[in-house]
Amino acid sequence: MDKRALLTAVIYELESKVTTLVSAMEQTVDAATNEETVPEHKYDTLALEASYLAHGQAMRLEQIKNDIATLKRTTLREFSEQDSVGLTALVCVENDDEQIAWYWMLPCGGGVTIKDARVLTNSGLAELTVLTPHSPLGKALLGQYEDDEVSLAIRDSVQHYAIISIQ
């Protein structure tokens, strides 16, 4: 399993988000500072709302850049059948509906999905989603071993996951 190629793909996805966010931010800043958005009365808040949005986008941009820097410094580790789930572990799970999913435990970048990971890994790994130890599923999986089962309460239901493999 080529984790370095997978990590490069995750970083690429995050860098694509940076490009998209910078473009959106430029449009938002333009909307906040455009003379057409100058308030005409006290209830005209378009420019104010645009400035709040631009601030939120700037904070998200900074977070993604920090995530990229963190991932570039991340040391990748190989896992054996005797190891528990930890950072940089690839975890294959099966849920109650007998659906198989692959997750990659990373320190940040949660939610990033690599659609065709088999191209990068020369394996049967089709889709891979990044989990962090801070996410509910990440917390549940952390420290577990192959063949362990974890439960996760989501709203009014409980989802069970069986760990099939850790790499």
Side-chain angles (χ1 to χ4, degrees), residues 127-167:
E127 185 173 285
L128 176 72
T129 302
V130 174
L131 282 181
T132 67
H134 309 292
S135 68
L137 183 55
K139 283 180 188 177
L141 291 173
L142 202 60
Q144 301 298 317
Y145 292 87
E146 197 170 299
D147 297 326
D148 282 354
E149 291 189 18
V150 297
S151 298
L152 184 63
I154 302 172
R155 292 187 185 95
D156 295 335
S157 68
V158 176
Q159 188 70 252
H160 303 280
Y161 298 89
I163 299 174
I164 296 172
S165 97
I166 302 170
Q167 300 178 15

Side-chain angles (χ1 to χ4, degrees), residues 85-149:
V85 175
L87 278 179
T88 77
L90 286 164
V91 184
C92 181
V93 299
E94 182 177 4
N95 68 13
D96 291 334
D97 300 326
E98 297 181 0
Q99 293 177 324
I100 304 291
W102 281 88
Y103 297 102
W104 196 11
M105 188 72 71
L106 290 176
C108 54
V112 170
T113 300
I114 305 301
K115 294 288 184 197
D116 197 7
R118 74 173 59 102
V119 173
L120 300 170
T121 61
N122 293 326
S123 70
L125 181 60
E127 185 173 285
L128 176 72
T129 302
V130 174
L131 282 181
T132 67
H134 309 292
S135 68
L137 183 55
K139 283 180 188 177
L141 291 173
L142 202 60
Q144 301 298 317
Y145 292 87
E146 197 170 299
D147 297 326
D148 282 354
E149 291 189 18

Side-chain angles (χ1 to χ4, degrees), residues 4-29:
R4 183 59 49 196
L6 288 174
L7 186 61
T8 300
V10 170
I11 291 170
Y12 176 80
E13 288 296 319
L14 289 172
E15 287 172 342
S16 295
K17 287 184 180 187
V18 166
T19 303
T20 303
L21 194 54
V22 165
S23 174
M25 226 172 80
E26 288 170 354
Q27 292 175 8
T28 305
V29 168

